[in-house]
Amino acid sequence: MAALLYASRAADCPYEIVLVASNNPDAGGLALAAAEGVATFALPHKGMARVDHDAAMDAAIRASGAGYVALAGYMRILTPEFVSGWEGRMVNIHPSLLPKYTGLHTHDRALAAGDSHGGCTVHLVTAELDEGPMLGQTAVAILPGDTADSLAARVLIAEHQLYSRCLAALVARGNDPVWLLERVRELALALPEVEERPSHGSPGWRVGGKYFAHFNDQHHGTPHIALLAKTSGADELDGLVESQPHAYFRPAYYGAAGWVGVILNQPDVDWDGVAQWLARSWRSVAPKKLTALMDAADAF
């Protein structure tokens, strides 16, 4: 926690710590956070049902305005309800090179196996213990004569550096056009018979020789990184832009033809919604035989 807190004080760090919460009122991190001017919350779990305790912790986190949760020595198993509520926005660090040695006693197990390296892994938290997508790893050499304690001490140095870097990258990637393009590309190419081909210098995706989506990276003076997709026409486009200007905009050049800009560089992007826009736009230009096959597959 201290490493994340002090890293956040760097001028170029994209995150700040708004709350330090614990199930242990005597946790040293609470006192440190308070001394550094960070809000704290402590709630002992003894005598509380796990789901009730997690709900109270969740409420306190959300009331703080936090957009992400970083577990830093929080040793309780979290309920599926808590984990799902922070899907893609909760991270943890584990003292091994996952997928090796999930759970406890990682350094003992690395030594017993005769490994050349231990290390640490930062990963997104999922319902499966230590199984979430990895965000980064650092390998730490095992030296002759190492004990679990001596190895753990060196791994801890690596943890303090890796965690803050991975958290910063996670928070910042919502404004990273490279990462956003990869997400859109993955969704677009999952549709049947799609090919990627640049259009006006930007990535675009076609089916049956017709474009159904384009990637917009702050073109024509807009601040938006966006997916451009086809609407039913000017009326729908106008309604979307007027009612939800935080989510949609009228793109230069394409807007005249009824294309809408789906803004991606914003908090809490609805990627299921992005996938739906891609599928809908694909359907609007795909050959009928392809849409018929997709309809049949959906019905099955």
Side-chain angles (χ1 to χ4, degrees):
M1 186 281 295
L4 297 178
L5 172 58
Y6 291 124
S8 75
R9 300 293 168 85
D12 60 348
C13 186
Y15 69 83
E16 63 175 318
I17 306 295
V18 296
L19 180 72
V20 172
S22 178
N23 63 312
N24 177 11
D26 297 321
L30 293 171
L32 176 60
E36 293 290 356
V38 178
T40 63
F41 175 78
L43 180 66
H45 62 270
K46 188 174 182 179
M48 293 186 69
R50 188 177 297 270
V51 66
D52 293 335
H53 186 266
D54 278 8
M57 295 291 283
D58 182 77
I61 294 168
R62 294 185 186 278
S64 74
Y68 295 82
V69 174
L71 302 177
Y74 193 75
M75 299 302 292
R76 281 174 59 78
I77 300 297
L78 297 165
T79 58
E81 294 83 0
F82 187 99
V83 172
S84 64
W86 293 96
E87 181 180 0
R89 296 181 294 142
M90 182 160 56
V91 293
N92 193 20
I93 189 162
H94 183 72
S96 80
L97 296 175
L98 292 174
K100 283 187 172 182
Y101 314 132
T102 61
L104 301 175
H105 309 298
T106 59
H107 306 304
D108 293 287
R109 292 154 70 189
L111 291 169
D115 291 349
S116 64
H117 288 75
C120 53
T121 305
V122 175
H123 62 94
L124 293 174
V125 177
T126 61
E128 295 76 29
L129 182 65
D130 301 328
E131 294 287 345
M134 290 186 288
L135 303 178
Q137 288 188 320
T138 298
V140 175
I142 295 176
L143 304 179
D146 257 339
T147 65
D149 288 342
S150 63
L151 176 58
R154 288 200 308 284
V155 170
L156 187 61
I157 298 171
E159 288 185 46
H160 288 171
Q161 298 179 54
L162 179 67
Y163 206 172
S164 59
R165 290 200 302 268
C166 289
L167 180 58
L170 175 66
V171 170
R173 73 184 186 182
N175 291 308
D176 179 0
V178 174
W179 185 81
L180 293 170
L181 171 58
E182 285 304 313
R183 288 298 308 271
V184 173
R185 175 179 286 130
E186 179 183 0
L187 295 171
L189 294 178
L191 294 165
E193 297 190 20
V194 170
E195 65 167 340
E196 181 172 331
R197 179 175 292 187
S199 174
H200 300 281
S202 297
W205 294 273
R206 309 193 314 171
V207 59
K210 297 180 180 179
Y211 283 99
F212 68 92
H214 301 276
F215 186 76
N216 177 95
D217 181 8
Q218 300 175 312
H219 291 164
H220 305 288
T222 73
H224 307 306
I225 303 172
L227 163 70
L228 306 187
K230 295 175 69 70
T231 68
S232 60
D235 288 344
E236 182 183 15
L237 172 60
D238 291 342
L240 289 168
V241 174
E242 182 177 349
S243 63
Q244 302 178 68
H246 63 285
Y248 301 104
F249 72 101
R250 177 190 297 274
Y253 181 73
Y254 291 97
W259 291 68
V260 67
V262 183
I263 300 172
L264 303 175
N265 57 329
Q266 61 171 324
D268 301 328
V269 173
D270 179 7
W271 285 103
D272 288 338
V274 173
Q276 290 169 11
W277 270 112
L278 283 165
R280 173 184 165 180
S281 197
W282 177 91
R283 283 180 176 276
S284 71
V285 301
K288 289 184 178 180
K289 64 177 183 179
L290 280 183
T291 58
L293 287 173
M294 179 172 272
D295 289 341
D298 290 343
F300 180 79

